Amino acid sequence: MSRIAILRAARGVPRQVVAGAAVLVVAALVTAAAFTDRSWLNLGGGTGFGTPGALHLEVKSQNTRDLSDDGTWVRIPEEGAGPVNPAPGVGGTVPIPHGGTLRPGGESATVDIPVRNTSADLDATLELRVLSRTDLEDPTPSAFAAHADGKRATVGEANAAYLDELLFDVLVDDVLVADDLPVEELPISLGALPAGAARLVTLEVRLPADGDLRLANGGTASLTAHLVATT
């Protein structure tokens, strides 16, 4: 600043402008000096971030409607090959009525699966998937199944046709969620499963009488109910 400018400032310019100029000069001096200081803040100390508790899904595998705490609840983690085609024996086994026999147009096979969320704090949404463990590639000629042109089908083709013919009804706490679902339309959302809550999931499986039963004749379907809880 020139001497004339300083004199003019002293005579008539308000002091806050001068003070502002002084602050700018000081800031420039600090910058030029390149002093450095640091502060380190650990977020949360040694524990960091986390979610209280853990999401645990438990089921009963006796084909029962009993939701009581009777000591038979188990957690069955997903292990082995899967989840698209789980290996035989992976997971729990639920008995099915009539030895699994389905007759075209006959009674449905009903499987009841109690499921509960044992988390103390984490609400979840429940989803049901039905996965096939059936060998759909078996090249062995079927003793029963045939194509529309009369050509003998393979065991794998008969199994695939049988699986395609099955229809599923899904209920939660005896309330119908979906009906007449072919397997390709699963998974399906079963709604909320709050922390500490239990639900009864019912799966009804039937074989209609109006499908391509000639090709499905002799076929089988080994199925896995895959329950998924998501927060």
Side-chain angles (χ1 to χ4, degrees), residues 30-58:
V30 172
T31 302
F35 293 137
T36 302
D37 196 4
R38 297 180 177 88
S39 293
W40 300 87
L41 299 172
N42 294 320
L43 303 184
T47 58
F49 294 98
T51 301
L55 180 62
H56 282 164
L57 190 67
E58 293 185 344

Side-chain angles (χ1 to χ4, degrees), residues 28 37 65 70 73 78 85 99 102 113 129 157 168 172 178 184 195 206 227 230-231:
D37 196 4
R65 297 175 59 84
D70 60 356
W73 290 96
E78 190 176 69
N85 290 299
L102 294 175
I113 307 174
R129 305 170 184 176
E157 290 173 328
F168 299 84
V172 177
E184 64 265 19
R206 66 180 181 280
L227 292 160
T230 307
T231 59

Side-chain angles (χ1 to χ4, degrees), residues 165-186:
E165 292 298 325
L166 296 180
L167 293 178
F168 299 84
D169 295 343
V170 183
L171 301 90
V172 177
D173 294 336
D174 293 326
V175 176
L176 185 66
V177 175
D179 62 345
D180 291 341
L181 287 182
V183 69
E184 64 265 19
E185 292 189 18
L186 297 161

Side-chain angles (χ1 to χ4, degrees), residues 78-88 90 129-136 163 183 186-187 222-226 228:
E78 190 176 69
E79 297 175 347
V84 177
N85 290 299
V90 172
R129 305 170 184 176
V130 175
L131 311 176
S132 172
R133 305 191 313 273
T134 311
D135 187 353
L136 306 181
L163 181 63
V183 69
L186 297 161
S222 297
L223 304 176
T224 295
H226 187 202
V228 180

Side-chain angles (χ1 to χ4, degrees), residues 61-79:
S61 59
Q62 297 85 13
N63 197 355
T64 177
R65 297 175 59 84
D66 182 12
L67 300 180
S68 68
D69 194 1
D70 60 356
T72 63
W73 290 96
V74 292
R75 180 172 178 262
I76 304 176
E78 190 176 69
E79 297 175 347

Side-chain angles (χ1 to χ4, degrees), residues 138-165:
D138 189 340
T140 306
S142 171
F144 307 101
H147 293 279
D149 60 3
K151 180 182 177 181
R152 180 179 293 185
T154 66
V155 170
E157 290 173 328
N159 289 343
Y162 188 85
L163 181 63
D164 288 342
E165 292 298 325

